[in-house]
Amino acid sequence: MPTKTLQIPTPDGRADAFAVFPDHGERHPGVLMYADAFGIRPVVREMARELAEHGYYVLVPNFFYRHGPAPLIELPEYIGEEVRPAVVDRLMPLIEAHTAERVLSDADAYLRFLTTQPEVCAGPVAVTGYCIGGLLAMRTAAAHPGQVAAVAGFHGPVGADGPDSHRLLSKLTAQVHLGHAETDMTPEALDELNQTLDAAGVDYSSEIYPGTLHGFTMSDTDAFNPAALQRHWDRLLPLLNRTLANS
């Protein structure tokens, strides 16, 4: 399956990115995939490949590009609990510097780039994200109603915008799936979030994946849960098929 290392022009420089797509000589619906804070690495590339095998052009940008190309820090092959705090401490300044203004400016650039690739067909796109990438995916979809037909976030801080979350969600026209970790979301908080989605008129599914820790999709971490990763595919692939099948 063809892969590319790309440079996406943005107002603040060039974002390095990874892309993968089927080798059929055809054009495919585009999917923008935001990694978690640990960034582009083998497990993320593999997930992008698996998604591309279902007929999609998948673009994974390094959203911390302002600080350098990926990998920004040296990551162990396995991010276990004994090393995770130190890794997160090194990444936290980058997360804090990635302001809402930067997120939206980058989203414009990423979608413009994605939709002009020769392997991407005309029509709507989808956005998916993991951990902080789930929040970036939601912000991207809200800022591009009509262009983003589907958005999915997994173990993401989707309520991180606080009181502004309702304003964010009210802008969504995309179909939405949110898969929450049990350690990230209480049933009461889920009810509150889902009531906000209902009030905003969003077409969505939003659920806590049983027995999960934050980061459950990532097989290079202690949080990995194989059953939850499969549940993620069982939710994500039908969502994309429903919304992008006619592209």
Side-chain angles (χ1 to χ4, degrees):
M1 184 169 293
T3 62
K4 290 183 177 180
T5 300
L6 301 165
Q7 297 289 322
I8 303 173
T10 82
D12 293 333
R14 302 181 77 82
D16 51 304
F18 170 78
V20 57
F21 49 93
D23 188 16
H24 299 156
E26 302 169 348
R27 301 173 78 187
H28 310 280
V31 178
L32 175 62
M33 176 187 284
Y34 289 111
D36 59 7
F38 298 138
I40 300 172
R41 59 196 193 281
V43 65
V44 172
R45 290 189 178 93
E46 185 55 40
M47 291 174 72
R49 286 190 186 94
E50 185 165 348
L51 181 54
E53 286 174 357
H54 293 273
Y56 302 103
Y57 181 107
V58 184
L59 177 67
V60 189
N62 166 28
F63 51 82
F64 291 146
Y65 69 89
R66 291 174 181 84
H67 306 275
L72 284 171
I73 65 173
E74 186 175 349
L75 290 172
E77 287 187 16
Y78 188 78
I79 308 168
E81 283 306 309
E82 69 283 359
V83 299
R84 184 185 185 99
V87 173
V88 171
D89 284 347
R90 293 186 64 186
L91 291 172
M92 193 54 65
L94 310 186
I95 296 171
E96 293 172 348
H98 201 55
T99 62
E101 291 77 17
R102 287 183 170 183
V103 171
L104 296 181
S105 174
D106 289 347
D108 291 345
Y110 299 156
L111 291 179
R112 187 179 312 114
F113 184 87
L114 174 63
T115 55
T116 55
Q117 294 310 291
E119 300 89 359
V120 175
C121 62
V125 300
V127 187
T128 185
Y130 304 86
C131 183
I132 186 179
L135 177 60
L136 304 188
M138 293 291 282
R139 288 177 173 172
T140 298
H144 295 270
Q147 183 177 21
V148 176
V151 59
F154 301 93
H155 46 85
V158 293
D161 291 309
D164 287 338
S165 293
H166 180 78
R167 186 164 53 84
L168 172 75
L169 298 175
S170 69
K171 297 177 181 178
L172 288 169
T173 60
Q175 292 187 34
V176 176
H177 175 71
L178 300 174
H180 310 285
E182 199 170 75
T183 53
D184 288 343
M185 181 77 69
T186 65
E188 294 76 19
L190 178 67
D191 287 343
E192 185 176 341
L193 172 63
N194 291 353
Q195 287 172 21
T196 303
L197 289 161
D198 286 333
V202 178
D203 184 353
Y204 75 96
S205 59
S206 172
E207 60 183 329
I208 296 171
Y209 287 20
T212 52
L213 304 173
H214 179 76
F216 58 76
T217 59
M218 298 297 163
S219 63
D220 60 352
T221 74
D222 281 348
F224 179 56
N225 183 312
L229 176 63
Q230 185 57 53
R231 189 185 188 106
H232 139 282
W233 289 121
D234 291 343
R235 300 294 190 267
L236 178 60
L237 293 174
L239 172 67
L240 300 186
N241 187 57
R242 287 196 306 272
T243 54
L244 303 182
N246 295 326
S247 297

